[in-house]
Amino acid sequence: MREIVTFDAYATLINFELGPTTLKVLKDRLDLDNLDVDEFLDDFRVMRFQAVLEAYRPYHEILHSSLRNAMRLHGLEYRESDGDALVEAVPTFGPWPEVPDALRALKTKYEIAIISNTDDNLIARNVENIGVEFDYVITAQQAGAYKPDRQTFEYAFKTMGVEPSQVIHTAQGWEYDHIPTRDLGLKRRVWINRYGRLGSADYQPYDELSDMSGLPALLGC
């Protein structure tokens, strides 16, 4: 029976340097008195999550609107060029160092696929940067919905021609991936906990790794 290892892309496979890039773009406006940069970046992260819970719109629009709202919340001047710069930066991000070798090892036994909250044109170059061929690259643009909406996963299963019981889903994203997949009947779930966050017994069973280097051995490759 076919088995597919699916991956979230950004922060799981790709070093998603959105925070540092945002600070670089806004470097001329981050000297306001009492501005807490970490709080600002956290608010930007939360606003992106809230935006994907709404009716579908392209990811480049979400980056623009979420950044604009976070900046307004913190009294920062927003320019349309700020959002443009972030969108243009996303395709330049490359993989975490251990990712290409881990994927090559997995391909000796499994099909591999990406299920990502992004636009087709944004992720195409990221995949090229990884340098490993995927059997499927499935985006929110194709599904017309963002994770954690189940529609995204159901679209992916249909596109790949598999049942959930044939899928091993691997992701860093807790709220985007592991919470919504708990009850989908997946064969296995693996949390790539790159940032040392706390998990939850409520969403077991899942395996936990600090990066992708141990994934091939975990999955018998």
Side-chain angles (χ1 to χ4, degrees):
M1 184 172 66
R2 293 172 61 202
E3 290 185 338
I4 297 181
V5 183
T6 57
F7 298 91
D8 172 48
Y10 299 119
T12 303
L13 304 177
I14 300 295
N15 186 0
F16 194 46
E17 298 179 308
L18 201 62
T21 302
T22 301
L23 299 184
K24 186 183 298 184
V25 169
L26 304 179
K27 62 183 179 181
D28 63 331
R29 279 160 286 163
L30 293 178
D31 57 353
L32 290 182
D33 292 341
N34 301 317
L35 175 66
D36 186 324
V37 171
D38 289 337
E39 183 179 0
F40 163 66
L41 290 177
D42 193 54
D43 286 336
F44 180 30
R45 178 187 62 80
V46 170
M47 287 179 177
R48 295 198 308 275
F49 180 68
Q50 291 173 335
V52 302
L53 301 179
E54 300 169 357
Y56 174 80
R57 53 188 166 136
Y59 192 68
H60 65 270
E61 293 182 12
I62 285 177
L63 284 179
H64 271 275
S65 65
S66 301
L67 180 62
R68 180 175 60 248
N69 292 340
M71 291 179 70
R72 287 175 175 171
L73 180 63
H74 288 269
L76 296 168
E77 175 196 358
Y78 175 76
R79 303 166 188 166
E80 197 69 17
S81 59
D82 300 330
D84 290 339
L86 279 192
V87 172
E88 291 167 5
V90 169
T92 70
F93 298 155
W96 295 99
E98 82 285 357
V99 163
D101 285 345
L103 292 174
R104 291 186 189 103
L106 289 166
K107 280 175 65 69
T108 64
K109 183 176 180 180
Y110 300 97
E111 295 177 57
I112 60 173
I114 285 174
I115 305 174
S116 181
N117 278 359
T118 192
D119 301 337
D120 291 345
N121 67 318
L122 290 182
I123 201 169
R125 187 171 164 193
N126 298 125
V127 173
E128 290 179 6
N129 293 341
I130 294 173
V132 178
E133 184 177 355
F134 288 83
D135 295 283
Y136 303 91
V137 177
I138 296 164
T139 66
Q141 180 180 353
Q142 297 166 25
Y146 288 99
K147 299 177 295 182
D149 193 319
R150 286 193 174 195
Q151 177 179 328
T152 314
F153 294 100
E154 290 166 356
Y155 173 86
F157 303 150
K158 183 178 180 180
T159 298
M160 295 184 295
V162 295
E163 297 297 323
S165 59
Q166 296 170 259
V167 175
I168 301 168
H169 190 56
T170 303
Q172 183 278 144
W174 184 259
E175 65 274 43
Y176 290 96
D177 291 85
H178 289 289
I179 290 177
T181 58
R182 180 187 63 177
D183 300 321
L184 287 185
L186 299 183
K187 178 180 178 63
R188 194 168 188 175
R189 298 181 302 144
V190 183
W191 184 25
I192 306 299
N193 186 9
R194 293 190 180 276
Y195 307 110
R197 294 173 178 160
L198 295 176
S200 171
D202 291 340
Y203 293 95
Q204 287 280 8
Y206 57 83
D207 298 290
E208 181 176 342
L209 298 170
S210 60
D211 61 34
M212 289 264 297
S213 59
L215 186 61
L218 180 68
L219 300 184
C221 297

